[in-house]
Amino acid sequence: MTAVLVDSNVLLDVLTGDPEWGEWSEAALAKCADFATLVVNPIVYAEVSIGFERIEELEDALPPELLRREPLPWEAGFLAGKCFVAYRRRGGLGRAPLTDFYIGAHAAVCGYRLLTRDARRYRTYFPSLPLIAP
């Protein structure tokens, strides 16, 4: 079975009932769960945690039996740093946090697909990364 790293924006759409993206994100998550293992890393976990007061609530929202937790590979740190430097050299103003590059790098070095709705940046800096995006 293949794996799909789930970007925090997709999880937040579902958890907050986002009126614009909630339905798309929920359907995409369900479809991916049919053919792949869904994966989150500590960065995605941290970004989603902001909306919760207690870790138990977050654990209920992101059950480990549905979303496999993985550490960040060291190789992903290196690749994320290189992509961030390229972004800054192209005139990036820091609006794209390094965390986004870490998420893309994690998926890239592990050979995963990435489920996101922020496809533009990932296509630019990780052109061979398979995306599932609107």
Side-chain angles (χ1 to χ4, degrees), residues 29-128:
L29 263 175
K31 186 175 181 178
C32 288
D34 287 341
F35 71 83
T37 300
L38 302 177
V39 176
V40 295
N41 64 31
I43 291 172
V44 171
Y45 189 90
E47 289 179 335
V48 174
S49 76
I50 293 169
F52 295 87
E53 292 294 320
R54 299 175 48 242
I55 194 169
E56 294 83 5
E57 296 168 356
L58 178 59
E59 288 292 310
D60 288 343
L62 303 177
E65 58 273 7
L66 297 178
L67 294 158
R68 182 174 77 200
R69 285 100 191 268
E70 287 189 3
L72 292 163
W74 289 101
E75 298 84 358
F78 184 82
L79 179 58
K82 295 301 177 195
C83 290
F84 187 71
V85 167
Y87 162 77
R88 294 302 297 258
R89 285 184 180 150
R90 290 181 177 175
L93 303 174
R95 287 185 293 236
L98 182 56
T99 56
D100 289 350
F101 292 102
Y102 239 128
I103 290 167
H106 181 180
V109 302
C110 289
Y112 298 160
R113 295 179 188 178
L114 178 63
L115 174 59
T116 185
R117 60 175 172 74
D118 186 17
R120 192 171 110 204
R121 180 174 308 125
Y122 292 114
R123 284 189 180 119
T124 300
Y125 294 96
F126 303 94
S128 62

